[in-house]
Amino acid sequence: MKILSRLALAAGMMALASTASYADGLKGKVIGFSQIGSESGWRAAETSVTKMEAEKRGVVLKFADAQQKQENQIKAIRSFIAQGVSAILLAPVVATGWDEVLGEAKDAKIPVVLLDRGVDAPQDLYLTSVASDQVKEGRVAGDWLVKTVGDKPCNVVELQGTVGSTPAINRKKGFEEAIADHKNIKIIRSQTGDFTRSQGKQVMEGFLKAENGGKDICAMFAHNDDMAVGGIQAIKDAGLKPGKDILVVSIDSVPDIFKAMMAGESNASVELTPNMAGPAFDALDAYFSTGKKPEKFIITESKLYTPADDPKAVYEAKKDLGY
Ligand code: GZL
């Protein structure tokens, strides 16, 4: 990675953690945040960056950790409504089952902003959604594999994210689109590891046992880096070399995947910014101060990283962001 782009990367990361001063639009406003849990390094970083972004703006953030349960998120939203908060941030664990409670927030005239995942609900039930293009993330991962294997036969095993979540649905869709015209590449096994390291390891152990000790597996596609890191351990325990015997491609670009790249154990990761809250607070600030409604979907970038991109520098730039 050229020195200039490394400096740009570091500057970008510093901006995440900077204490830039902000207009006082949100100062003193109470905003509820219903967070899914802490299932992955990326989720932990999203939480810490959200708290940093709130502090920069003088927002009083009411934080609720749902421990992966939708009913806890619904309870938290109802509690925020009862407290009369100014706005609600929601990272929805799954896509369905939100119409009623989002309707209650709308009736209470409390704007809701979705973070990092989507909902199957009428769009007038939320002010805006800040998330990546998850189909694109899957496609970028699939395109990388197509370019890497060429015409060679390649059996892929897939570690899916949380069942019913938009990232799991969309990343699978994008990856399958990317490999659709390349009949030499086939997904031979696919199962949820619920975005966690431990379940990713467990599921990959099962795949390796079922596929001739892993000798018939050419690549592992994991919907997030945490499951990939768990899968990498399972591949090593089976006596194979991750990154060589079995290619490893995943999504999030958390610090630990760059450690794996430095060890030659991961081949590619598609970046997901943990800073969804910055654009969310900016949209709320403009909405409260001018009544200006934001775009319905605010899409964050998806950049591919490989070991050619100086993983050590990227690791250093990310390691203090709360992953
Ligand atoms: C994707 C986000 C996913 C991350 C995982 O936008 O919802 O949830 O990719 C996390 O690490 O569990």
Side-chain angles (χ1 to χ4, degrees), residues 39-40 42-43 116-117 132 134 167 171 195 223-224 226 251-252 272 276:
E39 73 283 359
S40 71
W42 184 88
R43 183 69 54 196
D116 84 77
R117 294 187 186 179
S132 56
Q134 294 156 356
R171 288 171 181 175
F195 283 130
H223 289 186
N224 81 332
D226 281 61
I251 300 168
D252 278 354
L272 174 70
M276 307 283 182

Side-chain angles (χ1 to χ4, degrees), residues 136-148:
K136 178 180 173 186
E137 292 170 328
R139 205 178 302 121
V140 168
D143 287 345
W144 172 83
L145 187 64
V146 166
K147 263 204 268 331
T148 303

Side-chain angles (χ1 to χ4, degrees), residues 44 52 112 122 152-153 188 190 254 277:
M52 264 193 284
V112 174
K152 196 167 72 66
I188 56 168
S190 180
V254 300

Side-chain angles (χ1 to χ4, degrees), residues 131-308:
S132 56
D133 177 340
Q134 294 156 356
V135 173
K136 178 180 173 186
E137 292 170 328
R139 205 178 302 121
V140 168
D143 287 345
W144 172 83
L145 187 64
V146 166
K147 263 204 268 331
T148 303
V149 303
D151 300 335
K152 196 167 72 66
C154 185
N155 289 336
V156 183
V157 292
E158 179 183 27
L159 297 174
Q160 292 186 36
T162 301
V163 175
S165 69
T166 51
I169 294 162
N170 294 333
R171 288 171 181 175
K172 180 171 190 52
K173 180 171 185 286
F175 187 85
E176 288 173 345
E177 284 172 358
I179 66 170
D181 297 341
H182 304 270
K183 301 305 173 200
N184 57 307
I185 302 176
K186 267 201 333 289
I187 297 176
I188 56 168
R189 290 189 183 268
S190 180
Q191 193 179 326
T192 183
D194 207 19
F195 283 130
T196 70
R197 208 171 280 211
S198 58
Q199 289 183 62
K201 179 170 183 287
Q202 223 173 349
V203 171
M204 190 59 190
E205 283 164 352
F207 288 164
L208 289 159
K209 282 200 190 80
E211 293 298 337
N212 189 15
K215 291 181 193 58
D216 302 340
I217 299 173
C218 144
M220 173 179 75
F221 166 50
H223 289 186
N224 81 332
D225 292 344
D226 281 61
M227 293 191 291
V229 169
I232 285 168
Q233 189 54 54
I235 294 168
K236 293 203 282 192
D237 294 349
L240 296 174
K241 292 191 182 70
K244 293 175 189 58
D245 299 328
I246 295 179
L247 296 171
V248 176
V249 53
S250 55
I251 300 168
D252 278 354
S253 294
V254 300
D256 280 351
I257 208 67
F258 293 97
K259 265 195 193 158
M261 282 187 195
M262 289 185 253
E265 296 173 352
S266 161
N267 304 94
S269 177
V270 184
E271 185 177 48
L272 174 70
T273 176
N275 187 5
M276 307 283 182
F281 286 136
D282 292 346
L284 283 167
D285 192 352
Y287 178 63
F288 287 135
S289 40
T290 67
K292 176 174 169 285
K293 284 207 165 183
E295 295 292 314
K296 189 54 81 171
F297 297 96
I298 299 171
I299 309 288
T300 61
E301 285 303 301
S302 304
K303 173 180 162 45
L304 178 70
Y305 280 99
T306 70

